[in-house]
Each structure stands twice: as C-alpha cells, then as structure tokens.
C-alpha cells in the first residue's frame, strides 16, 4: 500500500545501516541478512505502534529508512517517533545490525508520484527530510552505531519547553 500523502511540519528520521557498504564487500549473504533484519524491524515497529494508536509512517529502501510522524501535537509526534525508532534499533541490535539515525523537525512533504503495477514512486521534500539526511550522512560529530540524534535546530516551542 502506498504512503498516504502528507504536507506539514513534523519530525522526520533518516535511519541508515552503519557500515553496510563494508559488510556488502565482505559478504553478500551477511549484507542480505542485515537488510532483511532492518526491513523486518521497521515493518514490525510501525505495525506495532499503529496498534497502540501512534501514527508514524516509513519507507525503507536499500540500507536506509525515512520515517515521519503524521498526527498529534509536537510532543506526541516526538514520543511516537522515539518509540518506533527505539523498537527498530533494539531489534536490529539483537540481530547485530548497526544503525545510526538523525531526527529533524520542520516542513515535510510526501506525495505519490506513480503507482502502477511493478513500480511505486514517492517524492519526499522539505527541510526536515533534507536536514535529517544531511546530518546522518555527514553531521558533526559523526553518528556511530547505535546513536539516535535529535537535531536542536528548528525544534518547536512545546518541545524546547519540556
């Protein structure tokens, strides 16, 4: 099922398997198991949180995932995001899959571009996505497994007041 469109301010996480390229060079079988664990962890975490009334969606491709909170006030969005990411990180850690994740707040837009048999294309735009991606990839200090970093830039007032 395609992601439902979204356009607004929210928390966005960019999650990546740390050291995946090196693992792929060492053993394609091990790399495939890492991907399977990562995708399964993401699917299960998102499905589990929906059963608890939280609303985080995600898209997983290659060795990364993009997750975003849909509903609620900023505090609820951040709590839902942290609950899902904690479950994903815990499950991957148990399967020896190292993850590094950055979370940013800001504008985010997700639109279906194409959904036809055999292909689905989604467009992600917005400062929250780009900031989380850039930080996870090249932020300072560098993220290491199993870190999850919440970027302080542009946090909404209710979150900074806590």
């Amino acid at each position: 099922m395609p992601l439902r469109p979204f356009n607004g301010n929210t928390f966005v996480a960019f999650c990546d398997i740390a050291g995946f390229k090196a693992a792929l060079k060492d053993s394609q079988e091990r790399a495939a198991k890492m991907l399977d664990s990562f995708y399964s962890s993401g699917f299960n975490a998102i499905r589990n949180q929906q059963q608890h009334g939280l609303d985080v969606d995600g898209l997983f491709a290659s060795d990364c995932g993009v997750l975003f909170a849909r509903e609620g006030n900023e505090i609820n969005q951040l709590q839902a995001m942290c609950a899902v990411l904690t479950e994903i990180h815990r499950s991957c850690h148990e399967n020896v899959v190292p993850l590094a994740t950055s979370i940013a707040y800001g504008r985010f837009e997700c639109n279906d571009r194409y959904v036809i048999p055999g292909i689905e294309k989604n467009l992600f735009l917005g400062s929250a996505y780009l900031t989380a991606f850039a930080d996870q990839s090249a932020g300072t200090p560098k993220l290491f497994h199993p870190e999850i970093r919440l970027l302080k830039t542009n946090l909404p007032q209710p979150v900074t007041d806590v």
Side-chain angles (χ1 to χ4, degrees), residues 22 39 43 45-46 50 62 95 100 119 123 132 144 157:
Y39 293 172
F43 174 82
I46 289 172
Q50 289 172 347
S62 185
N95 291 298
I119 190 168
L123 173 66
F144 293 99
Q157 190 68 38

Side-chain angles (χ1 to χ4, degrees), residues 76-89:
N76 292 339
Q77 288 176 347
L78 182 56
Q79 288 173 334
M81 180 67 72
C82 288
V84 169
L85 289 171
T86 297
E87 186 174 339
I88 292 170
H89 273 253

Side-chain angles (χ1 to χ4, degrees), residues 45-80:
I46 289 172
R47 184 187 60 203
N48 291 343
Q49 61 85 28
Q50 289 172 347
Q51 294 171 349
H52 292 96
L54 303 175
D55 202 4
V56 173
D57 281 352
L59 179 108
F60 295 82
S62 185
D63 67 330
C64 62
V66 177
L67 295 92
F68 61 100
R70 282 194 172 273
E71 302 293 332
N73 63 41
E74 292 92 350
I75 299 290
N76 292 339
Q77 288 176 347
L78 182 56
Q79 288 173 334

Side-chain angles (χ1 to χ4, degrees), residues 1 7 21-22 35 55 65 82 84-86 91-92 100-101 103-104 123 133 135 144 147 161:
M1 179 169 125
N7 188 352
K21 289 181 183 108
L35 288 175
D55 202 4
C82 288
V84 169
L85 289 171
T86 297
S91 177
C92 283
T101 302
I103 306 169
L123 173 66
F133 172 77
D135 181 73
F144 293 99
E147 293 178 325
D161 288 346

Side-chain angles (χ1 to χ4, degrees), residues 8-162:
N9 287 323
T10 192
F11 286 93
V12 177
F14 190 90
C15 188
D16 183 77
I17 298 175
F20 181 74
K21 289 181 183 108
L24 186 59
K25 287 179 184 176
D26 290 342
S27 168
Q28 288 186 357
E29 183 178 330
R30 171 69 183 129
K33 288 180 181 178
M34 292 171 79
L35 288 175
D36 182 52
S37 176
F38 181 49
Y39 293 172
S40 296
S41 297
F43 174 82
N44 290 332
I46 289 172
R47 184 187 60 203
N48 291 343
Q49 61 85 28
Q50 289 172 347
Q51 294 171 349
H52 292 96
L54 303 175
D55 202 4
V56 173
D57 281 352
L59 179 108
F60 295 82
S62 185
D63 67 330
C64 62
V66 177
L67 295 92
F68 61 100
R70 282 194 172 273
E71 302 293 332
N73 63 41
E74 292 92 350
I75 299 290
N76 292 339
Q77 288 176 347
L78 182 56
Q79 288 173 334
M81 180 67 72
C82 288
V84 169
L85 289 171
T86 297
E87 186 174 339
I88 292 170
H89 273 253
R90 183 179 300 124
S91 177
C92 283
H93 179 73
E94 290 170 1
N95 291 298
V96 195
V97 177
L99 300 180
T101 302
S102 291
I103 306 169
Y105 181 83
R107 294 292 305 163
F108 179 70
E109 184 177 345
C110 170
N111 291 306
D112 290 334
R113 283 297 171 110
Y114 303 104
V115 179
I116 59 175
I119 190 168
E120 177 180 331
K121 185 172 183 164
N122 294 290
L123 173 66
F124 291 163
L125 296 171
S127 62
Y129 168 68
L130 296 173
T131 301
F133 172 77
D135 181 73
Q136 193 287 326
S137 300
T140 303
K142 182 176 177 10
L143 277 170
F144 293 99
H145 161 68
E147 293 178 325
I148 299 174
R149 179 167 37 218
L150 173 62
L151 299 167
K152 294 180 181 180
T153 308
N154 201 35
L155 286 177
Q157 190 68 38
V159 172
T160 59
D161 288 346
V162 173

